Amino acid sequence: MKIVPRNSLGADVTDLDLRRVTAGEVTALKEAVYDHKLLVFHGVELTDADYVTMARRFGVPQRYFQSHYHHPEWKEIFVSNNVPMGGAKVGVAGTGRMWHSDYQFFAEPLPLTFVMPRIVPPLGSRGTLFLDMVAALRDLPEQLAKVLRTATCRQDAVYYYKVQPFDIDKGIGELMEEFHRTAPGASHPAVIQHPLRDRPALYVSSGFTQCIEGMPHEQSQDVLRAVFAFIEQEQRVHIERWQLGDLFFWDNRQVLHRSSGTLHGQSSRSYRIGVYDGVPFYPGLPITGENQP
Ligand code: 7UC
Ligand code: FE
């Protein structure tokens, strides 16, 4: 196994057979993802069953709260896909096109995410974008950082609900109410400490963060708008272009990500497996989910 850190965000992983990954390699890879925030494995060949088996060695795979995202055979695989399988719609198209951290809108967010491209459109147009949120906090103008260090933010994903065939004839209000019954949103500190590294990170996203709690709405919107304008600057964005055989693995405590989206008429499919690593998302947050070991 070879792990080569990049100058910027992330590290490349080669010379590894993930079907036969050892306990020692799993430990080293988890250390590496906490260190480098993002790992990109190359030359990966895994069947769907192999992929789930591999992910189980890293922690407890998540079952996404909406079952229409699930792979027909493997509930642990979250399917982002616009190509029918056996004539049927499978998964959801156009997921994650906003800056976010996975499950940030739940009381217990998702620590680690694997994403494996399965169908990659030509022209290198398809990819996943990342922001380093440790660097973002370090570089943030002090007048904004000062406000955020003691702030708590409200997180909600309802505006990204993708209307499904079974939603036909329901009202928008009804759909939002239904969404909030299982995913009512959550409050989290705007700056989180890492439970395993001595590293604070900014934990707000333009996708999910609604407001700073206890602050007049206009002021809260002004602060958040300024923060997002700063952290989303083009020179801060890391682009990972998809290639078949790549597997992406990142630490949601330290990066935001978003999908590049798919160009009109192009085919795209990727399989995500989220993993709970058995450690609080940030110190003091209890581990309560049924997804835990
Ligand atoms: O369809 C999507 O964009 C999914 C998004 C609302 N949530 C992914 C997650 O785990 O936070
Ligand atoms: Fe995501």
Side-chain angles (χ1 to χ4, degrees):
M1 177 172 71
K2 224 163 80 186
I3 303 176
V4 182
R6 297 169 175 177
N7 293 327
S8 54
L9 182 72
D12 293 290
V13 184
T14 51
D15 302 320
L16 172 68
D17 184 355
L18 281 170
R19 282 168 302 191
R20 290 176 190 81
V21 68
T22 66
E25 285 169 336
V26 169
T27 305
L29 289 164
K30 285 171 85 173
E31 292 300 315
V33 81
Y34 299 137
D35 282 343
H36 305 296
K37 304 163 191 155
L38 165 68
L39 299 181
V40 185
F41 298 79
H42 301 275
V44 175
E45 285 178 39
L46 296 176
T47 64
D48 300 345
D50 289 340
Y51 185 26
V52 174
T53 304
M54 182 281 295
R56 285 188 184 136
R57 315 218 37 198
F58 286 80
V60 177
Q62 173 183 70
R63 292 180 178 193
Y64 197 70
F65 77 107
Q66 292 165 318
S67 58
H68 55 276
Y69 283 82
H70 295 176
H71 185 286
E73 285 170 67
W74 301 96
K75 292 184 170 58
E76 296 89 342
I77 300 180
F78 167 114
V79 179
S80 186
N81 171 46
N82 65 10
V83 184
M85 288 163 88
K89 167 179 155 62
V90 173
V92 176
T95 68
R97 286 176 298 186
M98 62 297 183
W99 285 114
H100 68 284
S101 181
D102 288 332
Y103 257 42
Q104 189 175 25
F105 57 103
F106 276 95
E108 203 166 338
L110 178 67
L112 302 174
T113 300
F114 285 103
V115 165
M116 175 144 37
R118 281 293 200 213
I119 296 177
V120 177
L123 308 173
S125 59
R126 188 69 177 89
T128 308
L129 282 52
F130 293 90
L131 293 178
D132 181 337
M133 296 302 274
V134 176
L137 177 63
R138 182 195 62 212
D139 299 343
L140 196 66
E142 179 53 26
Q143 89 261 21
L144 293 173
K146 206 173 113 187
V147 178
L148 293 187
R149 274 194 290 264
T150 56
T152 299
C153 291
R154 190 75 203 154
Q155 313 289 345
D156 195 341
V158 71
Y159 303 108
Y160 297 97
Y161 179 67
K162 315 293 185 299
V163 173
Q164 295 302 301
F166 52 73
D167 292 322
I168 193 86
D169 291 347
K170 285 183 192 162
I172 288 171
E174 189 183 345
L175 291 177
M176 290 178 75
E177 207 176 279
E178 239 173 57
F179 182 93
H180 278 148
R181 242 175 267 148
T182 34
S187 296
H188 293 297
V191 173
I192 56 170
Q193 296 294 325
H194 198 283
L196 301 169
R197 293 291 182 276
D198 186 16
R199 255 178 216 179
L202 201 53
Y203 191 55
V204 293
S205 68
S206 52
F208 293 157
T209 306
Q210 304 301 311
C211 66
I212 299 172
E213 291 182 346
M215 189 180 274
H217 186 73
E218 294 81 351
Q219 192 188 344
S220 152
Q221 293 306 301
D222 284 350
V223 170
L224 290 174
R225 254 197 294 273
V227 170
F228 299 142
F230 180 85
I231 70 175
E232 294 171 10
Q233 289 174 89
E234 210 176 305
Q235 71 268 24
R236 307 191 67 88
V237 177
H238 297 253
I239 302 178
E240 297 294 333
R241 289 182 201 288
W242 289 5
Q243 292 205 54
L244 286 178
D246 288 349
L247 172 67
F248 303 100
F249 184 38
W250 66 82
D251 182 354
N252 282 302
R253 299 172 175 110
Q254 303 189 69
V255 293
L256 293 187
H257 63 283
R258 63 171 290 172
S259 158
S260 68
T262 303
L263 294 176
H264 187 71
Q266 295 202 329
S267 303
S268 175
R269 178 184 296 158
S270 66
Y271 286 174
R272 155 182 147 181
I273 303 182
V275 168
Y276 292 90
D277 57 5
V279 184
F281 194 84
Y282 47 83
L285 191 73
I287 300 184
T288 56
E290 54 195 86
N291 289 306
Q292 301 304 327

